[in-house]
Amino acid sequence: KTLKPSLCTVLIVLAIVRCCKCYSCCNAPDFGDAGTPEMVPCRQEVQPPQRLLHFLIGLVQACRSFITYSSTQSCLMNKTCSNLIRDYTEASRIANERLAQSYVCTGDQRVCFVGVVCGGGTCAEPPNAIGISCEVALRRALCAYHFPRCASDQLIVTNEVCLDTCSAVQIFCNMTVDEVTRVAKCVPRNFGCTSGAGRTPTRVSP
């Protein structure tokens, strides 16, 4: 004898399915005001000052303008933001140390490695400090690292960070993303990976 589901059973199943959809994690992360204090550095958005950025100012300019796609980390915002700020703090320290010993282009803020042609300006002698280009490159790379793109709760598009995004950190900060992250995720390609929103600046007016 075939048992037919009762109307009550059908309604319960539909309610469960609807509830699961409500609690989907693959969403655009909410950097709004509802978070706990640990989220403050991630959700605040400050206009970059027209001068060398102070380390602490950089901390409050994390990911809000960079993550415009869906990520399952939207269900773990406080922990994700705390991890990101931890890595950003260490990255800023390393970048400041490296740039203090580096020649840096006065026009586009690239580090003057051998063979590098400055996009306007000349190579400034050390000491130098973090500029807008380095700060944006760090934000973009670490946001892409900590907020991998997803298609659904069951399908992470990629956990890897694109070549251009990782390369910008070396070009402008004289360091690598892998020096501060727990797992090396930079890959030598620009497809099937996460890059973060926007473009890394190639020229910044002094």
Side-chain angles (χ1 to χ4, degrees):
K1 184 179 180 179
T2 303
L3 295 176
K4 294 183 179 181
S6 66
L7 177 60
C8 183
T9 302
V10 172
L11 291 176
I12 290 174
V13 171
L14 289 175
I16 292 174
V17 171
R18 193 171 300 169
C19 182
C20 289
K21 289 183 178 179
C22 290
Y23 287 97
S24 171
C25 288
C26 185
N27 298 300
D30 181 9
F31 296 103
D33 296 331
T36 55
E38 296 91 281
M39 277 183 60
V40 171
C42 268
R43 69 173 183 250
Q44 289 186 351
E45 192 166 10
V46 181
Q47 292 299 318
Q50 297 303 310
R51 58 180 175 79
L52 293 178
L53 294 177
H54 187 277
F55 172 69
L56 291 179
I57 293 177
L59 285 181
V60 298
Q61 298 188 57
C63 286
R64 190 170 190 171
S65 61
F66 286 82
I67 308 303
T68 58
Y69 51 82
S70 296
S71 175
T72 54
Q73 299 305 114
S74 62
C75 281
L76 298 167
M77 289 296 289
N78 293 333
K79 182 174 179 58
T80 302
C81 286
S82 295
N83 291 340
L84 185 147
I85 296 305
R86 175 202 66 210
D87 290 347
Y88 185 86
T89 301
E90 177 64 8
S92 296
R93 182 190 67 79
I94 294 174
N96 266 317
E97 288 182 354
R98 300 281 173 79
L99 293 173
Q101 304 172 50
S102 304
Y103 286 80
V104 176
C105 297
T106 56
D108 57 15
Q109 298 184 348
R110 294 171 181 266
V111 175
C112 295
F113 296 113
V114 176
V116 168
V117 177
C118 290
T122 58
C123 288
E125 294 185 3
N128 289 288
I130 287 182
I132 294 174
S133 296
C134 173
E135 193 266 346
V136 170
L138 286 177
R139 287 170 58 196
R140 186 182 180 207
L142 290 175
C143 291
Y145 177 95
H146 286 282
F147 288 93
R149 190 185 301 267
C150 66
S152 69
D153 283 4
Q154 292 74 39
L155 178 60
I156 304 298
V157 175
T158 178
N159 276 309
E160 299 168 320
V161 183
C162 295
L163 172 65
D164 283 353
T165 301
C166 292
S167 295
V169 174
Q170 186 165 8
I171 290 169
F172 295 110
C173 307
N174 198 8
M175 60 172 290
T176 66
V177 178
D178 294 344
E179 288 182 70
V180 294
T181 54
R182 299 290 175 88
V183 179
K185 292 185 180 180
C186 288
V187 291
R189 63 176 188 274
N190 288 311
F191 59 90
C193 51
T194 302
S195 64
R199 295 173 62 89
T200 300
T202 55
R203 179 177 176 83
V204 177
S205 299

